[in-house]
Amino acid sequence: MRAAVLISAMSLALAAPAAAQPGAVKRPILLELAQVLGESHALRQACAGPDDQFWRARMMRLVELERADPDFEGRLKGAFNQGFAGHAGSACSEATRREEAAAAARGRALSSRLAGTMAPGREPR
């Protein structure tokens, strides 16, 4: 259930064209979201196995949709890798599943903030 909500929120955030958002507002949120995606990728792989590429695929889609300049694209990928490295090699346990749920909650919050910057007729936050 948590994963489904996070997926829906992230899909909403990623579906809107990047050009519709002011860069200064969205970039810090995108960097944090990329880091959470990296954490989520490592934590999910702990229980689902190394072949699971679910969150990595979402990160690739974010990079594709963002069409950022090479510097910012590198920063996004670096944030993802940093998040992944912080949890790489975790063993599947109840604690890992709790961490995964916490990462999902942070991802939902970030996705909501990002979506809020794109809402028609609203000032960016």
Side-chain angles (χ1 to χ4, degrees), residues 2 13 21 23 50 52 62 88 94 96 100 108:
R2 290 182 185 131
Q21 305 168 43
D52 186 286
L62 182 144
E94 190 57 39
T96 304
E100 187 178 10
R108 278 191 303 275

Side-chain angles (χ1 to χ4, degrees), residues 35 37-43 45 79-89:
Q35 184 169 355
L37 285 170
E39 291 173 17
S40 297
H41 182 53
L43 293 166
Q45 280 189 333
F80 178 88
N81 291 336
Q82 181 181 10
F84 181 84
H87 296 281

Side-chain angles (χ1 to χ4, degrees), residues 49-121:
D51 292 335
D52 186 286
Q53 297 297 305
F54 184 82
W55 291 115
R56 183 176 177 276
R58 295 316 179 274
M59 177 63 191
M60 291 171 58
R61 182 69 175 142
L62 182 144
V63 169
E64 177 187 322
L65 289 171
E66 195 53 33
R67 293 179 294 221
D69 59 82
D71 178 60
F72 189 65
E73 181 177 325
R75 290 176 58 204
L76 285 170
K77 290 176 180 179
F80 178 88
N81 291 336
Q82 181 181 10
F84 181 84
H87 296 281
S90 295
C92 186
S93 67
E94 190 57 39
T96 304
R97 292 186 190 281
R98 282 192 302 271
E99 287 181 71
E100 187 178 10
R106 286 194 318 277
R108 278 191 303 275
L110 290 166
S111 295
S112 293
R113 282 179 52 204
L114 190 58
T117 68
M118 300 180 294

